[in-house]
Amino acid sequence: MIVVMRAGASDQDLAHVIEKIEALGYRAHVMYGVERKVIGCLGDERGKAQLQSLELLRGVENVVPILSPYKLAGCQLKPEPSIVTVSSECAIGGRSFAVIAGPCAVESEEQILQTARAVAAAGANALRGGAFKPRSSTYSFQGLGEEGLRLLRLAKEETGLAIVTEIMDRYVLDQVIESADILQVGARNMQNFPLLNALGSAGKPVLLKRGMSATIEELLLSAEYILAAGNPDVILCERGIRTFETATRNTLDLNAIPALKARTHLPVLVDPSHGTGVWSYVAPMAKAALACGADGIIVEVHPRPEEALSDGAQSLKLDKFAALMNEMKPIAEAVGRNLGRRNAECVRA
Ligand code: PEP
Ligand code: MN
C-alpha cells in the first residue's frame, strides 16, 4: 500500500504516520517528491485493510494499493526516472547516455591500461573488465581474480575512469567493493537471491543483467530484492535472451527497453556485445539502443580481439570503438541525449 501525504503535511504528521505503519508490522519507505511525500508500506499484503485506516490520520491524503509486484522498482511509488550518479564523469539515467567499455576479462597490465587509455580518450564514462569470470566450461579462463582487481585499480588511478566489474558470489563482496565503482551481476546470477540480498548493503551501484531466459517481470523482481534490501542504486541491463535463432549468440531484445521504461524508474543499459556475439553487429545495435531510449551501453573492447582469452569474437578493436562513439553523436543529438565524459548530467551531479 502507498500512503500519500497531503501537500502541506508537517514533519510531525509524517513521523506519526511512519510510527503507525511500523506498529502494524510494515517497513515504511519514504519517497520525497517535489510537492508531496509518499510512503510505501512494505510487508505482507494481507494487512491491507488495517493500512487503509491510516487514511484517518492527520496529513494523510489517501491510501492506495501498489498494484505491481515490484513495489520499489515500479513507477507508482516513484514516477520520475532515477539517475545513478557514479562519479563526476559517470551518471547513468536522465539526459546522460553512459558508455561503459572495456575487455570481457582483465588479462594483463598492458591489455587493461592500453584499453583504458583508448576508451577514455574516445569519451567512455567507465571501464569494464571481469576479474572473476562466469564461464560455461570449467576448463576456460576463469579470470585473474584478485590480481585482476589490482589491475583495474591501476587503470582507474591513471585514467580516472569508474570501474565496472562482476561480483559472482557474496563471499568475495568486500574484496570486489574496494575496487569497483559499479558491481555487475551477471546474467547467470540474476536470480542468486542471497547475492542480491547482500548487495542491498554494498553501498555501491549495482548493474543487474537480465538472465538469458528471464522475463522482464523476473528481472524487475530481482531488482526489487536489491532495492528492498536497502540499495537504491540499481541499473538494469538487457544483454540478449535465448531464442531458436542461431545466427547470433543471443537475441538482443530491444523491446525490453520501452517495456522496462513503461514499468520502472530505474535506468536501463544495453549490452550489444553479448546481445549479438558478433563484433560487426555491435555498432548497429549500440546505435539502435541509443535511438530506442536506453540510458547507455556496456560494450566489449579489446586491443587485440584475436588474442582475447574470452569473447574476442564480439569485441571491438580500439579504433572501431572510437568510430562508434563518433557515429553515435548525431543520434544522441537527435534524441536529446548527452554523450561523453563530463557531460551535463555528470557535472550537475
Ligand atoms: C560479461 O559481461 O562479460 C558477461 C559474462 O555477461 P553476461 O553475464 O551478460 O553473460
Ligand atoms: Mn564477455
Side-chain angles (χ1 to χ4, degrees):
M1 301 290 271
I2 305 177
V3 178
V4 183
M5 301 299 290
R6 288 185 197 283
S10 70
D11 289 350
Q12 285 102 307
D13 293 341
L14 183 75
H16 185 56
V17 175
I18 292 173
E19 204 178 293
K20 289 285 181 196
I21 292 171
E22 287 171 354
L24 289 172
Y26 288 83
R27 200 138 57 82
H29 188 92
V30 187
M31 297 284 203
Y32 297 86
V34 189
E35 277 213 349
R36 61 183 78 229
K37 302 174 183 77
V38 299
I39 314 169
C41 309
L42 306 177
D44 192 337
E45 285 291 282
R46 285 171 294 186
K48 271 184 193 162
Q50 278 178 306
L51 287 168
Q52 200 72 51
S53 67
L54 298 175
E55 234 161 24
L56 301 171
L57 297 180
R58 204 179 54 201
V60 174
E61 172 114 2
N62 57 10
V63 179
V64 290
I66 306 183
L67 300 173
S68 84
Y70 32 88
K71 303 178 188 312
L72 298 173
C75 294
Q76 213 180 339
L77 206 50
K78 187 172 187 296
E80 68 277 10
S82 290
I83 301 174
V84 175
T85 304
V86 185
S87 72
S88 62
E89 297 185 341
C90 182
I92 304 178
R95 290 260 151 253
S96 169
F97 184 80
V99 178
I100 302 169
C104 179
V106 181
E107 297 168 357
S108 68
E109 179 170 330
E110 194 247 64
Q111 174 242 22
I112 196 69
L113 290 182
Q114 198 184 345
T115 311
R117 287 177 198 131
V119 301
N125 302 86
L127 177 70
R128 64 151 288 152
F132 298 94
K133 294 302 302 177
R135 304 306 302 279
S136 298
S137 165
T138 189
Y139 303 114
S140 300
F141 175 58
Q142 305 285 313
L144 295 181
E146 204 155 343
E147 170 65 0
L149 296 177
R150 186 185 73 79
L151 295 177
L152 287 169
R153 290 197 298 273
L154 207 62
K156 179 179 176 172
E157 252 169 54
E158 191 186 310
T159 60
L161 287 170
I163 300 297
V164 183
T165 197
E166 182 159 348
I167 173 77
M168 285 217 301
D169 92 58
R170 68 195 145 119
Y171 300 107
V172 290
L173 191 52
D174 290 342
Q175 198 182 331
V176 178
I177 284 175
E178 274 180 40
S179 308
D181 297 292
I182 300 180
L183 300 159
Q184 176 179 330
V185 175
R188 292 156 189 82
N189 260 324
M190 189 202 82
Q191 289 187 315
N192 179 340
F193 300 119
L195 174 63
L196 302 181
N197 274 326
L199 289 168
S201 43
K204 292 266 167 86
V206 176
L207 170 52
L208 178 65
K209 297 187 103 180
R210 179 181 181 182
M212 55 190 92
S213 331
T215 63
I216 285 167
E217 169 148 322
E218 285 164 341
L219 172 61
L220 289 166
L221 286 168
S222 287
E224 186 76 13
Y225 268 86
I226 305 169
L227 298 167
N231 189 341
D233 292 328
V234 178
I235 305 147
L236 305 172
C237 181
E238 164 58 42
R239 47 77 73 205
I241 50 173
R242 282 253 163 104
T243 68
F244 53 80
E245 184 53 72
T246 53
T248 47
R249 179 177 180 183
N250 289 291
T251 295
L252 186 62
D253 179 17
L254 290 184
N255 289 347
I257 310 312
L260 284 166
K261 289 283 171 188
R263 288 165 173 76
T264 181
H265 56 87
L266 298 173
V268 184
L269 299 185
V270 166
D271 175 346
S273 307
H274 295 86
T276 61
V278 184
W279 73 264
S280 59
Y281 305 168
V282 169
M285 298 316 286
K287 289 182 268 186
L290 169 56
C292 78
D295 295 300
I297 49 170
I298 175 165
V299 57
E300 289 185 339
V301 178
H302 196 290
R304 289 168 300 281
E306 64 286 357
E307 291 172 20
L309 298 178
S310 62
D311 288 349
Q314 65 192 35
S315 298
L316 294 180
K317 290 185 179 163
L318 306 182
D319 61 335
K320 291 275 189 301
F321 172 71
L324 169 62
M325 289 299 283
N326 277 327
E327 289 161 24
M328 285 196 295
K329 279 181 194 158
I331 303 170
E333 205 172 307
V335 296
R337 303 301 291 252
N338 303 320
L339 189 65
R341 293 182 88 178
R342 297 209 137 265
N343 71 48
E345 199 80 67
C346 312
V347 174
R348 195 172 327 139

